[in-house]
Amino acid sequence: MPEKALLCFGDQQIELPVLVGAEGEKSVDISRLRDATGLTTYDPSLSNTAVCKSAITFIDGDEGILRYRGIPIEQFTDRPNFIEVAWLLIFGRLPKKDELDRFSQRLTLNELLHEGMKHQFQHIPADAPPMALLSATLSNLVCYHPQFLALGDDESFEEMAARLISKVRTIAAFSYRRSLGLPFNYPNPNLRYCANFLHMMFSIPYQQYSITREIEDALNLIFILHADHEQNCSTSTARVVGSSRANLFASCASAVCALWGPLHGGANVEVVEMLDRIHHGGMSPEDCIKAAKDKANPFKLFGFGHRIYKNYDPRAKILKVACDRVLSQMKVKDPLLDIARKLEELALADPYFVERKLYPNVDFYSGIILRSLGIPTNMFTVCFAIGRLPGWIAQWKEQHDDPTSKILRPRQVYIGNTIQDYVPIEKR
Ligand code: CMC
């Protein structure tokens, strides 16, 4: 017998169905509530609202569990291949060898930008924020590939996904080169995904950037750990935009904008700036913890806390270990790592953070690894976006393929003026 929830309102008793997810989590289905009672529900941050059914990513925030298509995130860390993870997320199963080869080939074929698009970069101020450029250029892609506005079968979707996943790293690298006034490096079809990105970022004319296996693996790991995270702010943005049947390019461009904010993907920049400030004597770790606890102070301990995880973020756990490995492989001694460890130790022993179950999240250690690879701070959130793109594409496709999905259009509780008369300007 399926479970039901009972809602009593006035003299009405309404039975509401209870949905049960694959891992046993329960959700009261209120989709008929307004029709039956005239009531809406109020949940301003959507903390208690499941907005869709999804088969892509599972998170148990109390236990610190994250799985992509059922596979625990920890199982991806030894055999890093971001492209394999991207295909898994988008198409729902691990690719066979020929499927992965075909997808890789599609990525290679799509790695160039239209020359017209390349010229756009020249006219943008050198100090333009790379996230603004990324969003605008992703949206512009559709001007150069209008045929992809119309979606076809899975194969043409694969081509469209490859186009986006491939070009995003070219766009990202070009925006970095533009910011330094350096010539653009065309992608090298002989290099794999991460190595090609690093080449476009760091090679100089007549001198190929030398990429070790360790550097490539570290970037692969960062991208994999960011690849999807169910209904987070940027993914929800992609779904909201996609729900109006806007195209994939526009939906992903909007997701980039949502990711930019310091409470979401922009936190990785804030973390390093915070650690840097401590390093340069601007404040002590103890001052930092004190400021984060002070409700009169808008300052937050960036890289700490999460809407879903009330336990250690499994991605942060992996990155914390990876930090030691990567820095020692790169022979880098970064004082910011010691400061981060000290902050974590202070926070995890402080009742404020303990009672609120605030633990390090993915952004706490990722910036330290990116720094060790030579990635500048203003490109951190761009790297997050490159990693998250397969997730946005997978979620957009899932929504698009669902025949029951409708335009996302929430309700509100109106608290403005009741009916008023218009007053002509001379009488105001
Ligand atoms: N520093 C200080 N206090 C915090 C922090 C923090 N980093 N995070 C949460 N709190 C407090 C918050 O003030 C609230 O206190 P009180 O109960 O006294 O009002 C309590 O903890 C619960 O927090 P919340 O604001 O209700 O939590 P939320 O789910 O709305 O916000 C969050 C989640 C990630 C936006 C928030 O924890 C935060 O701002 N963290 C810092 C920014 C950050 O690291 N963001 C990256 C998130 S993970 C990767 C990603 O999604 O991009």
Side-chain angles (χ1 to χ4, degrees):
M1 182 75 173
E3 272 184 280
K4 288 195 187 315
L6 203 59
L7 176 77
C8 300
F9 176 64
D11 54 5
Q12 280 181 295
Q13 274 206 357
I14 303 107
E15 275 194 350
L16 298 164
V18 174
L19 304 180
V20 184
E23 293 285 344
E25 68 283 17
K26 293 181 181 169
S27 185
V28 179
D29 178 353
I30 56 155
S31 54
R32 315 289 321 152
L33 183 70
R34 192 166 176 283
D35 286 348
T37 64
L39 288 171
T40 59
T41 54
Y42 181 64
D43 185 19
S45 62
L46 299 176
S47 316
N48 303 286
T49 300
V51 291
C52 62
K53 292 180 192 163
S54 180
I56 301 170
T57 290
F58 172 71
I59 301 177
D60 181 332
D62 295 322
E63 298 297 326
I65 290 172
L66 168 62
R67 295 181 199 141
Y68 293 159
R69 298 285 187 185
I71 304 173
I73 191 71
E74 293 76 12
Q75 292 190 19
F76 294 106
T77 56
D78 292 340
R79 294 175 292 273
N81 184 340
F82 173 60
I83 296 313
E84 192 179 12
V85 171
W87 204 93
L88 165 76
L89 288 169
I90 297 168
F91 296 105
R93 60 176 172 81
L94 287 167
K96 299 203 173 83
K97 166 110 180 41
D98 60 321
E99 290 168 328
L100 188 58
D101 288 348
R102 185 187 62 209
F103 194 52
S104 301
Q105 173 107 27
R106 283 188 198 273
L107 291 172
T108 304
L109 290 174
N110 280 300
E111 62 193 4
L112 286 167
L113 294 184
H114 190 287
E115 285 292 297
M117 196 160 216
K118 196 186 82 178
H119 294 310
Q120 289 179 9
F121 285 90
Q122 313 281 12
H123 303 292
I124 288 167
D127 57 356
M131 286 296 275
L133 268 175
L134 185 65
S135 166
T137 317
L138 278 181
S139 188
N140 272 354
L141 275 175
V142 87
C143 309
Y144 295 89
H145 309 286
Q147 72 276 26
F148 284 96
L149 280 173
L151 272 186
D153 49 11
D154 261 15
E155 190 169 338
S156 59
F157 193 84
E158 188 183 89
E159 175 66 16
M160 181 148 64
R163 198 162 284 234
L164 268 174
I165 293 171
S166 186
K167 288 187 192 305
V168 73
R169 91 205 129 143
T170 315
I171 296 169
F174 278 23
S175 66
Y176 169 67
R177 303 289 291 193
R178 169 74 192 120
S179 71
L180 297 182
L182 289 170
F184 301 132
N185 290 317
Y186 284 111
N188 177 345
N190 300 315
L191 293 175
R192 290 185 308 183
Y193 191 83
C194 291
N196 208 351
F197 173 59
L198 291 164
H199 147 71
M200 286 190 275
M201 290 275 292
F202 300 126
S203 288
I204 51 173
Y206 308 109
Q207 197 180 326
Q208 178 75 28
Y209 174 72
S210 124
I211 302 146
T212 62
R213 191 64 207 226
E214 287 82 19
I215 300 181
E216 204 182 334
D217 283 357
L219 193 59
N220 244 307
L221 178 66
I222 298 252
F223 287 163
I224 290 172
L225 294 180
H226 288 86
D228 193 52
H229 214 236
E230 49 117 307
Q231 307 312 315
N232 57 85
C233 178
S234 55
T235 303
S236 299
T237 303
R239 277 187 178 258
V240 169
V241 175
S243 79
S244 74
R245 307 272 160 90
N247 66 75
L248 179 65
F249 298 77
S251 304
C252 292
S254 325
V256 170
C257 294
L259 187 73
W260 195 354
L263 297 188
H264 190 11
N268 54 16
V269 173
E270 302 288 336
V271 170
V272 164
E273 285 176 353
M274 173 180 82
L275 299 176
D276 214 33
R277 202 171 137 207
I278 296 173
H279 177 54
H280 288 104
M283 64 177 166
S284 67
E286 289 75 11
D287 288 341
C288 182
I289 296 288
K290 204 168 150 205
K293 295 192 295 184
D294 178 1
K295 294 290 171 197
N297 188 338
F299 178 80
K300 296 215 170 221
L301 184 58
F302 283 96
F304 255 74
H306 199 276
R307 171 62 58 81
I308 308 285
Y309 293 119
K310 301 302 164 199
N311 201 327
Y312 216 107
D313 179 336
R315 303 166 300 174
K317 209 180 261 179
I318 295 168
L319 284 172
K320 188 179 177 186
V321 175
C323 251
D324 288 328
R325 186 181 63 244
V326 175
L327 267 63
S328 107
Q329 283 166 344
M330 305 288 300
K331 302 192 177 26
V332 168
K333 175 95 190 76
D334 189 344
L336 300 200
L337 178 57
D338 297 330
I339 297 171
R341 286 206 197 97
K342 176 73 186 167
L343 273 181
E344 179 184 335
E345 186 191 311
L346 289 173
L348 295 186
D350 189 303
Y352 175 95
F353 292 90
V354 175
E355 280 157 19
R356 289 169 179 75
K357 300 187 176 156
L358 303 172
Y359 291 87
N361 60 49
V362 69
D363 292 313
F364 198 64
Y365 287 105
S366 63
I368 296 175
I369 298 187
L370 289 170
R371 262 163 70 91
S372 76
L373 305 182
I375 311 261
T377 313
N378 70 348
M379 290 295 288
F380 287 2
T381 315
V382 171
C383 288
F384 191 149
I386 298 174
R388 183 57 54 88
L389 186 62
W392 294 331
I393 296 172
Q395 301 269 352
W396 189 96
K397 181 178 190 304
E398 182 175 67
Q399 174 177 260
H400 182 270
D401 291 350
D402 175 0
T404 68
S405 85
K406 289 179 158 194
I407 189 163
L408 287 169
R409 202 303 184 188
R411 296 266 174 179
Q412 63 171 8
V413 177
Y414 176 70
I415 56 163
N417 291 334
T418 52
I419 190 163
Q420 306 251 330
D421 281 329
Y422 173 81
V423 181
I425 197 159
E426 59 283 1
K427 294 206 176 143
R428 286 176 216 161

